[in-house]
């Protein structure tokens, strides 16, 4: 079956004809076609992704500016399939020159080139939401931003030129505008801030309640951000005439009402009125405290996480004049003395020019670095939620008998510091439920304080949760699945760079170091649960035995009465004494 | 809990300080940091991804040029953790000017801007593999390419400048080189081609056998590409002294040997000799035939799959002078007459200049397009494998009692034509196996003739397979899982644009149209399986009854002999007659 002569089809291309077709692809063209990579697979998810990106940006901006965040999310249904999302914050605002690029250029931002924990990291999200809106409705992203009390606000409308990945400015004017927030249910007055940003995007979307909804996202967001004051309302179009047909379309505050989240009528005039304004009241997720989480600091890369190719690049790019100072200045945990030690191990002159290190010398340097003991990366770049706050968050949202939380010490994957926190809430099994008909536990996933709703199956947290042997801790568990039982399990990973499985940031990639840490955290939670369950089981066993014995006490007393000739009073005393004895035994157990 | 005064932390940023930190992010920087998005999560997967990207490119190039493909994959272990991957094809070659961009620039290629079925589609893969090699070893991608018999070959070495996403050329020379392929096991001679390309990348990697290995990938590749002649060898470093320690490191041909894939010693000198050359023979996956699959044609976008924003963009970009001709020329399935009809419906002049259509006019046009009946998109842009070839492929690789395959008619998601094919192979359950201890079926996934190994949990194919009610077809199925049984199930999706869940192209996104089609294909396979299983069960039941009755025949004959006074001969005749009767009944059943 040898081919000595290559058969060509008449339509065959040649190297030359193929060359004519090669073209550069703008990153915006790429993501426009691959919009599902950014979380715009379908209208329902598009709505969630847009809210998520806007809220993430708002929270990051507030925290970086040291402002206790207040955020307002308003979703308005315009036609059956078209929605307008408007997110307003009290952040520091954005200077005019940056607005078009931030909102209408993919891969642009301040968070990518630094090693520091934040919600956003890619410089894609909000521009992608605008691009999706533009694609599906032809509309522009509207931004209002005010940076200080003395200054006017900017009003801009931008679109993205997808062939160039560059912004097109449709409107650019100064206006009088201040971010306004409605009153909260605790009776406080409405707030007007002197600075902040509002972004509004119109898009094809769909609103469905449930586990993957905007409501759920905002609720979980409030759990892991106790310092956030969050207002939310969704104004849905009334279905004509028929009110029975509004299933899944009713604003969600009735769902939250029983949960301490009472909806209040809006006493203030909104800056952007809509025709549904007076129909739908605001839901406020109250902040628990005014204290911002500690500001994470920015760090330099740790030498043990730097690959050979990156090392070569860093030596080429360094501003330092000598190899020794390049090592000490551009990396964390390398003192000038350690730098000298590394140079000596590698057989290189510490005074060599970093740009002139040859390839084989870099390899020697690389080996020397990895053979040198160094302190772990500095870990103040991470801002964990903390065991106490996790338990408080779970208590707030989930009714259960047992709560616990674990914060693991920070560690490192690929040179990036990260830490894992886990918590669980376990309630009594529903006695009405048939034995063996238990549901899988509910798993809540968070990354850098952002709830992850979609793509659970692809996430390292799910992988770790199914990998733990929960039978050991007293929960039934089908092979390769989540355990069964009335339990909520949560995990939070905080890192300077969370490795997501896709740009839509819905699941964490399967780095072994990360899965190991989550597993450890879950196992520790499991052990504590196991102690609780054992104790409860012992207690229930005692209860059973005690009830059993208690049943016999009257008969015993009757017998003794007859044998010893007790009177009724003596019999009662005997019963009392026997009961007390039983109780004492129980208490001592 | 109202905030009238915004508290600022002393380290707080302002809009102005934040603005200074905003920066553009090169797409190569983005993917360098997010390399797991491209399939470079870990050393093991990196090896697979690199082979996959190089083989995909080789096959695409050959098929576009009308050349029956012959491909050689050689993996050489250099150190414990470093491997060199070299893939050589007999394709049309690449002209010199294009080599650097194709191999060292992300988002560059010929396949993105067209609607035509091909394996590659993004213009990322092979450059990303080179970038990963560069990052982990500091080395360059080496390309050899020859475009025609009269011409010399180009020898280039390129790296990617990740900050600019642009190639850096380290070597550029003309050499005498021809792609050489080893002899095949059927005794044919080795082949030297007059054109072709060879790409070699050195990288940190790991080789592990199993379901996610290069071996498995190439095997599945051979199944869905019956016209491909594929040579493969992996030269692993001997572990010093100890041969017992080579678990998982032995070349894979012993695994394939029992499968008709015999390994032959390499009679030819390889152009790039390595020190292990004489130790490791080549494994050849023989091509089944010389016939290329029909060339899929390129199509224009179908109007019903175009969103409003894209329509506006297309009208802006068109070369046509009137609205009517723009509609007829830039879209598929729009004749000049239909174009006129659409213009009339929208209330627009067919002679209007397309660039001057206002926003509200576009919306009217958009509505008019979607209110107009149009033919479905042309479907010759797809090249299915075919039911016959699928069954042949399954027969070749899987020993079973029952094979079937289904090719669904082409249909459309988001305006993109696609079709789904499915197949299954079912063997007798292993009688040695305990009842109830059955394993889940094995699911094989393909997209545009490329095997998908990783991320099974996130794939639309898995979603469809678990969503089908297999109990209805006679297979046990745990809730929400794959069914259990000795079965291989496969699905192939062919499309002009396969929507993958990530750039690494490992799983298909959950578009409802796609899941529906896969489900239908699986259900049809299931129905056929069900018929087979019922028939087999009936047959087994008959068998049982027949054996049962056969047991009584001698006793019956003995009784009759005694009652009727038969002699031995008459008794034998009677037994024979009764047996014949039983057989006839059985045959008639």
């Amino acid at each position: 079956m040898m081919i000595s002569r290559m058969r060509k089809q008449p339509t065959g291309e040649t190297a030359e004809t193929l060359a004519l077709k090669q073209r550069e692809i703008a990153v915006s063209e790429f993501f426009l076609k691959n919009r599902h990579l950014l979380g715009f697979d379908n209208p329902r998810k598009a709505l969630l992704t847009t809210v998520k990106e806007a809220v993430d940006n708002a929270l990051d901006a507030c925290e970086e500016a040291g402002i206790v965040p207040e955020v307002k999310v308003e979703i308005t249904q315009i036609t059956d399939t078209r929605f307008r999302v408007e997110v307003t914050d009290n952040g520091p605002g954005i200077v005019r020159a940056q607005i078009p690029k931030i909102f209408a250029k993919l891969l642009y931002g301040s968070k990518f080139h630094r090693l520091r924990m934040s919600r956003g990291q890619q410089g894609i999200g909000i521009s992608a939401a605008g691009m999706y809106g533009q694609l599906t409705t032809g509309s522009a992203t509207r931004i209002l931003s005010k940076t200080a009390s003395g200054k006017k606000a900017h009003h801009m409308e931008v679109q993205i030129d997808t062939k160039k990945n560059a912004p097109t400015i449709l409107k650019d004017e100064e206006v009088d505008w201040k971010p306004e927030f409605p009153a909260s249910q605790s009776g406080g007055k409405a707030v007007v801030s002197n600075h902040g940003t509002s972004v509004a995007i119109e898009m094809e979307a769909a609103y469905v309640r449930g586990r993957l909804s905007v409501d759920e996202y905002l609720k979980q967001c409030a759990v892991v951000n106790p310092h956030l004051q969050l207002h939310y309302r969704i104004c849905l179009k009334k279905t004509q005439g028929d009110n029975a047909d509004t299933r899944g379309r009713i604003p969600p505050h009735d769902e939250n009402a029983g949960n301490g989240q009472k909806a209040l009528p809006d006493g203030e005039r909104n800056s952007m009125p809509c025709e549904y304004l007076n129909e739908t009241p605001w839901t406020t997720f109250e902040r628990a405290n005014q204290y911002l989480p500690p500001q994470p600091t920015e760090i330099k890369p740790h030498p043990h996480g730097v690959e050979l190719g990156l090392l070569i690049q860093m030596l080429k790019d360094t501003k330092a004049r000598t190899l020794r100072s390049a090592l000490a200045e551009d990396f964390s945990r390398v003192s000038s003395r350690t730098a000298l030690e590394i140079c000596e191990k590698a057989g290189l002159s510490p005074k060599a020019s970093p740009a002139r290190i040859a390839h084989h010398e870099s390899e020697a340097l690389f080996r020397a670095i990895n053979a040198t003991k160094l302190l772990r990366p500095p870990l103040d770049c991470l801002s964990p939620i903390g065991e106490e706050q996790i338990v408080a968050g779970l208590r707030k949202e989930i009714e259960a008998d047992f709560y616990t939380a674990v914060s693991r010490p920070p560690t490192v994957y690929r040179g990036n510091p990260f830490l894992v926190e886990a918590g669980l809430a376990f309630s009594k099994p529903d006695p009405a439920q048939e034995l063996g008909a238990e549901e899988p536990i509910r798993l809540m996933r968070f990354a850098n304080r952002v709830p992850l709703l979609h793509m659970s199956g692809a996430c390292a947290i799910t992988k770790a949760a199914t990998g733990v042997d929960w039978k050991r801790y007293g929960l039934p568990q089908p092979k390769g699945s989540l355990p069964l039982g009335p339990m909520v399990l949560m995990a939070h990973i905080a890192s300077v760079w969370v490795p997501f499985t896709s740009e839509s940031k819905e699941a964490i990639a399967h780095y072994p170091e990360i899965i190991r840490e989550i597993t450890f955290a879950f196992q520790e939670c499991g052990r504590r649960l196991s102690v609780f369950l054992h104790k409860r089981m012992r207690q229930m066993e005692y209860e059973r035995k005690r009830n059993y014995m208690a049943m016999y006490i009257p008969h015993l007393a009757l017998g003794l009465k007859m044998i010893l000739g007790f009177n009724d009073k003596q019999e009662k005393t005997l019963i009392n004494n026997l009961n007390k004895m039983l109780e004492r035994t129980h208490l001592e157990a």
Side-chain angles (χ1 to χ4, degrees), chain A:
Chain A
M1 216 177 279
M2 217 204 69
I3 353 148
S4 53
R5 176 181 48 96
M6 298 296 157
R7 295 177 328 120
K8 289 209 179 193
Q9 289 192 358
T11 55
E13 302 272 0
T14 64
E16 289 72 23
T17 59
L18 281 172
L20 295 175
K21 298 184 179 176
Q22 304 284 356
R23 253 187 69 189
E24 200 166 324
I25 303 148
V27 66
S28 43
E29 290 178 301
F30 176 76
F31 282 122
L32 192 66
K33 212 164 172 181
N34 279 315
R35 72 190 77 127
H36 54 273
L37 296 183
L38 302 176
F40 297 94
D41 317 32
N42 56 58
R44 183 185 174 183
K45 202 164 160 190
L47 192 71
L48 172 65
T49 303
T50 304
V51 169
K52 187 175 161 169
E53 296 295 347
V55 171
D56 286 0
N57 283 357
L59 291 179
D60 273 347
C62 287
E63 289 176 13
E64 286 192 32
I67 298 165
V68 185
E70 180 148 14
V71 174
K72 185 173 76 176
V73 177
E74 183 167 19
I75 302 174
T76 313
Q77 189 175 26
I78 294 169
T79 71
D80 278 349
T81 61
R82 197 176 281 193
F83 287 73
R84 182 168 176 280
V85 175
E86 184 176 357
V87 175
T88 310
D89 64 54
N90 66 343
I94 303 166
V95 300
R96 192 191 147 279
Q98 294 296 328
I99 293 173
K101 287 184 186 165
I102 287 175
F103 291 95
K105 180 178 176 62
L106 299 182
L107 291 179
Y108 186 85
S110 59
K111 298 166 196 168
F112 183 87
H113 288 101
R114 65 178 190 197
L115 285 175
R116 184 176 180 284
M117 177 179 163
S118 57
R119 292 172 184 79
Q121 54 188 29
Q122 312 178 130
I124 293 183
I126 195 68
S127 296
M131 187 166 79
Y132 177 79
Q134 176 181 338
L135 174 74
T136 53
T137 68
S139 65
T141 305
R142 195 272 288 127
I143 302 108
L144 287 163
S145 192
K146 184 172 161 70
T147 57
S149 54
K151 294 185 181 170
K152 281 211 165 198
H154 295 290
H155 175 204
M156 284 187 131
E157 286 183 21
V158 293
Q159 282 196 331
I160 182 163
D161 180 343
T162 52
K163 291 203 174 163
K164 294 183 190 153
N165 185 30
T168 311
I169 300 170
L170 303 182
K171 186 174 270 180
D172 179 2
E173 58 183 20
E174 294 205 327
V175 291
D176 283 316
W177 173 81
K178 285 182 177 185
E180 294 174 23
F181 302 94
S184 73
Q185 55 257 53
S186 65
K189 271 187 271 174
V191 172
V192 179
S193 170
N194 275 325
H195 42 75
T197 303
S198 168
V199 53
I201 297 169
E202 206 176 300
M203 60 178 64
E204 290 284 316
Y207 173 69
V208 188
R209 284 208 264 173
R211 285 275 159 99
L212 301 175
S213 66
V214 173
D215 315 21
E216 177 69 23
Y217 175 78
L218 293 177
K219 201 169 165 179
Q220 292 195 17
C221 213
V223 173
V224 286
N225 295 286
H227 57 296
L228 163 66
Q229 183 88 348
L230 180 62
H231 311 276
Y232 169 52
R233 77 168 169 193
I234 177 156
C235 308
L236 294 166
K237 255 185 71 178
K238 269 193 184 155
T239 311
Q240 289 184 340
D242 191 356
N243 263 330
D245 199 35
T246 51
R247 264 175 306 160
R249 295 184 160 230
I250 302 153
H253 31 81
D254 51 351
E255 192 180 59
N256 295 321
N259 214 349
Q261 314 285 358
K262 269 169 222 148
L264 269 201
D266 183 13
E268 298 293 309
R269 272 199 68 80
N270 190 267
S271 57
M272 288 272 152
C274 77
E275 48 173 322
Y276 317 87
L277 184 68
N278 296 319
E279 298 174 30
T280 313
W282 289 95
T283 301
T284 299
F285 297 88
E286 286 276 2
R287 69 160 66 87
N289 56 57
Q290 289 261 359
Y291 301 104
L292 280 172
Q295 285 265 43
T297 53
E298 190 174 337
I299 59 163
K300 290 171 192 161
H302 191 273
H304 284 177
V306 168
E307 286 95 347
L308 176 57
L310 199 59
L311 177 69
I312 294 172
Q313 187 68 44
M314 286 179 74
L315 291 179
K316 224 179 260 174
D317 297 343
T318 183
K319 283 171 192 158
R321 292 214 185 151
T322 68
L323 183 57
R324 183 180 178 179
S325 59
L327 289 172
E329 284 165 24
D330 293 356
F331 293 95
S332 68
R333 299 309 196 196
V334 180
S335 65
S336 188
R337 202 167 127 189
T338 320
L340 185 64
E341 189 191 326
I342 292 171
C343 293
E344 279 167 4
K345 261 190 207 166
L348 297 172
S349 160
K351 291 189 180 163
S353 160
R356 289 195 193 161
I357 301 289
H359 192 289
H360 68 275
E361 291 174 328
S362 312
E363 289 203 44
L365 190 66
F366 182 72
R367 279 193 300 272
I369 286 173
N370 282 292
T372 306
K373 266 209 164 179
L374 297 170
L375 284 174
R376 310 207 104 197
L379 301 162
D380 49 0
C381 52
L382 302 178
S383 164
I385 306 175
E387 299 185 358
E388 210 175 303
Q389 292 283 346
I390 291 175
V391 169
L394 289 172
R395 258 182 217 285
K396 199 174 124 191
E397 289 299 324
I398 297 126
E399 205 180 310
D401 298 340
F402 175 72
Y403 301 87
T404 190
V406 171
S407 267
R408 297 274 311 161
T411 175
V412 177
Y413 85 91
R414 233 179 68 194
N416 294 320
F418 77 100
L419 69 78
V420 165
E421 301 178 287
L424 68 78
F426 191 91
S427 58
K428 257 201 195 86
D430 185 357
Q433 208 173 29
E434 256 183 274
L435 200 74
E438 276 183 308
E439 290 289 309
I441 61 156
R442 182 162 166 214
L443 183 64
M444 278 164 60
R445 303 172 291 128
F446 300 93
N448 284 2
R449 292 171 179 260
V450 177
L452 312 177
L453 300 189
H454 281 274
M455 300 276 290
S456 175
C459 186
I461 293 177
T462 310
K463 172 106 175 166
T466 53
V468 167
D469 182 5
W470 290 97
K471 282 181 187 156
R472 185 180 293 189
Y473 310 122
L475 295 183
Q477 182 181 24
K479 201 180 160 190
S481 302
L482 286 177
L484 311 178
M487 183 168 102
V488 172
L489 181 69
M490 70 83 83
H492 173 236
I493 162 170
S495 178
V496 294
W497 183 262
V498 180
F500 290 106
T501 58
S502 91
E503 291 82 348
S504 57
K505 304 198 286 181
E506 293 160 333
I508 296 158
H510 288 195
Y511 278 95
E513 299 89 338
I514 294 176
I515 292 177
R516 195 169 53 232
E517 277 299 311
I518 305 171
T519 303
F520 287 159
F522 282 163
Q523 283 172 339
E524 179 57 33
C525 286
R527 273 188 290 272
R528 294 184 192 170
L529 175 69
S530 165
V531 169
F532 167 77
L533 288 177
H534 265 101
K535 204 166 147 191
R536 189 160 82 175
M537 215 163 68
R538 269 209 318 275
Q539 211 151 4
M540 279 164 70
E541 187 67 7
Y542 259 109
E543 209 74 23
R544 207 177 55 82
K545 280 190 189 157
R546 185 175 166 263
N547 291 343
Y548 198 65
M549 281 160 79
M551 265 169 61
Y552 285 90
I553 287 177
H555 301 276
L556 187 66
L558 191 69
L560 285 172
K561 178 188 174 187
M562 281 161 74
I563 295 166
L564 301 176
F566 281 1
N567 60 18
D568 283 4
K569 202 187 158 191
Q570 279 172 312
E571 188 195 353
K572 266 189 189 164
T573 318
L574 181 66
I575 291 180
N576 274 344
N577 285 345
L578 283 172
N579 273 332
K580 272 181 195 158
M581 208 185 297
L582 190 63
E583 254 156 52
R584 205 160 45 239
T585 328
H586 177 62
L587 285 174
E588 279 163 4

